[in-house]
Amino acid sequence: MSLQFSTGMVTGLIGHNGSGKSTLLKLLAKQLKPTHGTVLLDDKSLQQWHSKALAREIAYLPQHLPAATGLTAFELVQMGRFAWHGLMTCMNHQDEHIINQALKLTHTEAFAQQLVDTLSGGERHRVFLAICVAQKSRYLLLDEPLAALDIAHQLEVIQLVHTLAHELGLGVIIVIHDINLAAQYCDRLIAIKHGSLLYDEKPAELMTQAKLQDIYGVALSLLPHPVNQHTVALL
């Protein structure tokens, strides 16, 4: 597998369970060390990057969100600045501006003084996305951020991710299972099967019956969306 990722776009990692999507994302986030090959950032192996310096370039949001017991949304988002100052450094006015901007961009200003544990699933995901925005990194790696959300919150989060990539110039790499949301909101789709690269294409090129059956192993029907004419896959 040989891939390059760019900023200013959303890249979706798709494929059946166990295909290697989350493993690839963890390799890109330096959560795992490759047994073969090398992951490079700016022509430098991730293994040579200091963790703090790498955190200024890459923000990673795991599938299962960590606990935030006793923290308000503002306090949690404040953690996104640790990559620049460390745990013991006081925040300055610029940091406060960046934190407030991250809350605004993710539409979580109303939760700033609210305990994170009291928020709904979609609200929690947006607050954790705000941490990544406050981190001011170039790349945002998201491992199945829609998995535990209802339809309304899935749409809310994926629209936000698309906006962040295009308005802030972030390179977003997202593991996503809903092929219709992936096709509509991703600029590029990478299909993985049994740990190998199967397709690397624009959504419009990948949304064919033959390719989808190759990826998922089931026959899907394709129809144009009645509103935006995007191709929709149905069982």
Side-chain angles (χ1 to χ4, degrees):
M1 185 182 294
S2 179
L3 295 166
Q4 290 185 336
F5 297 95
S6 303
T7 54
M9 65 185 301
V10 181
T11 299
L13 302 182
I14 63 172
H16 58 74
N17 289 338
S19 60
K21 305 182 299 297
S22 292
T23 299
L24 174 59
L25 202 72
K26 289 175 182 178
L27 288 168
L28 297 176
K30 200 185 173 183
Q31 299 293 307
L32 293 176
K33 185 177 180 180
T35 52
H36 300 285
T38 308
V39 180
L40 302 173
L41 176 64
D42 294 341
D43 298 321
K44 179 180 174 182
S45 170
L46 288 192
Q47 305 309 313
Q48 296 177 314
W49 281 82
H50 187 275
S51 296
K52 190 173 181 180
L54 187 63
R56 296 175 180 177
E57 306 293 335
I58 296 174
Y60 170 64
L61 195 61
Q63 180 179 352
H64 302 292
L65 299 180
T69 305
L71 292 175
T72 65
F74 187 92
E75 291 169 336
L76 188 64
V77 176
Q78 188 176 13
M79 293 181 179
R81 302 304 299 155
F82 291 166
W84 298 90
H85 297 298
L87 292 172
M88 305 305 294
T89 304
C90 294
M91 298 291 109
N92 56 37
H93 291 301
Q94 183 183 8
D95 293 310
E96 290 185 11
H97 173 73
I98 291 171
I99 293 166
N100 287 324
Q101 183 184 44
L103 290 167
K104 183 178 180 180
L105 285 168
T106 54
H107 309 295
T108 52
E109 312 104 300
F111 314 133
Q113 300 308 317
Q114 190 170 337
L115 291 175
V116 177
D117 288 344
T118 66
L119 301 177
S120 69
E123 292 165 350
R124 275 173 54 84
H125 274 78
R126 281 192 283 141
V127 169
F128 274 91
L129 279 174
I131 301 176
C132 298
V133 174
Q135 198 167 319
K136 287 288 185 180
S137 58
R138 282 188 287 162
Y139 291 93
L140 176 55
L141 312 182
L142 306 174
D143 194 354
E144 296 190 45
L146 312 182
L149 304 180
D150 58 38
I151 294 174
H153 287 125
Q154 285 182 11
L155 189 60
E156 184 179 77
V157 170
I158 194 64
Q159 287 175 337
L160 172 60
V161 167
H162 184 269
T163 300
L164 293 176
H166 289 265
E167 291 190 2
L168 301 183
L170 298 178
V172 178
I173 306 169
I174 178 173
V175 175
I176 183 169
H177 278 293
D178 190 315
I179 186 59
N180 291 318
L181 288 179
Q184 185 168 350
Y185 290 99
C186 294
D187 303 292
R188 172 190 181 193
L189 292 177
I190 293 174
I192 301 173
K193 190 172 186 178
H194 303 312
S196 297
L197 177 64
L198 191 59
Y199 297 108
D200 180 2
E201 298 179 346
K202 293 181 179 179
E205 298 169 346
L206 188 138
M207 291 292 284
T208 69
Q209 287 181 319
K211 290 177 180 178
L212 291 177
Q213 182 159 7
D214 198 10
I215 297 168
Y216 296 108
V218 293
L220 298 172
S221 299
L222 300 181
L223 296 172
H225 192 284
V227 176
N228 55 31
Q229 299 305 305
H230 282 101
T231 301
V232 176
L234 302 172
L235 280 173

